Amino acid sequence: MKSSELHKLWDAPDNSRLTSKQLSFRLPVHVAAKLAALCELYPRKSRTEIVGDLMATVIDEVAAGLPYSEDQQMRDRLKDQYGVDGIDDREFLYGPREDFRRAANKHYQELEKELGNDAPGVIYQGYRAE
């Protein structure tokens, strides 16, 4: 989701699940003032919902911009050896973007298990939680 679309989300009903543990942090004064303004504009949404939506949007944007590299030599070798079919390109990507996706899957599964989900899925398909 893009940050320019958040106002549409805040006018819709909320169906999100929350973590079992509360997170606490302090904000810079100017950020707290802007957050309070958003809470005033969208009184049907709680501060938690607004902060969660803002964080999710920004994290998605940051994650999309993380660099990655491709192990082209290994990929070419395997394609020559096994042919084009059956080669999952994600297996040949590495770097901060791929590390983030694997770590996000790991933490997502841990948090889901805390909520009682014995068989949690993943956020990013094709990335093993490490």
Side-chain angles (χ1 to χ4, degrees):
M1 171 180 307
K2 294 183 179 182
S3 55
S4 60
E5 298 171 356
L6 282 173
H7 63 91
K8 294 176 190 172
L9 178 66
W10 292 335
D11 281 332
D14 180 42
N15 296 319
S16 61
R17 295 177 44 184
L18 300 177
T19 60
S20 61
K21 296 177 184 171
Q22 182 174 338
L23 304 173
S24 177
F25 49 89
R26 295 173 60 187
L27 298 173
V29 173
H30 72 282
V31 173
K34 292 173 185 177
L35 176 59
L38 287 172
C39 292
E40 188 176 309
L41 286 173
Y42 298 95
R44 293 187 304 175
K45 294 295 177 185
S46 70
R47 178 171 290 161
T48 297
E49 291 169 324
I50 290 175
V51 168
D53 293 340
L54 288 169
M55 293 294 295
T57 300
V58 171
I59 289 171
D60 286 346
E61 289 178 6
V62 169
L66 289 172
Y68 67 93
S69 298
E70 185 174 2
D71 190 342
Q72 188 67 42
Q73 289 179 329
M74 177 64 81
R75 186 181 202 230
D76 290 343
R77 230 177 299 137
L78 288 173
K79 280 188 177 182
D80 289 343
Q81 185 175 354
Y82 297 107
V84 176
D85 294 329
I87 301 293
D88 184 355
D89 289 343
R90 287 176 288 213
E91 293 295 321
F92 304 98
L93 300 176
Y94 63 94
R97 183 184 302 179
E98 308 315 308
D99 293 342
F100 168 79
R101 290 177 177 179
R102 282 189 269 287
N105 280 345
K106 176 184 77 171
H107 293 290
Y108 176 76
Q109 289 176 338
E110 290 170 359
L111 290 167
E112 280 290 330
K113 286 178 182 177
E114 286 178 10
L115 291 171
N117 184 353
D118 292 332
V122 294
I123 299 171
Y124 297 101
Q125 297 298 319
Y127 297 90
R128 292 181 296 277
E130 294 178 356

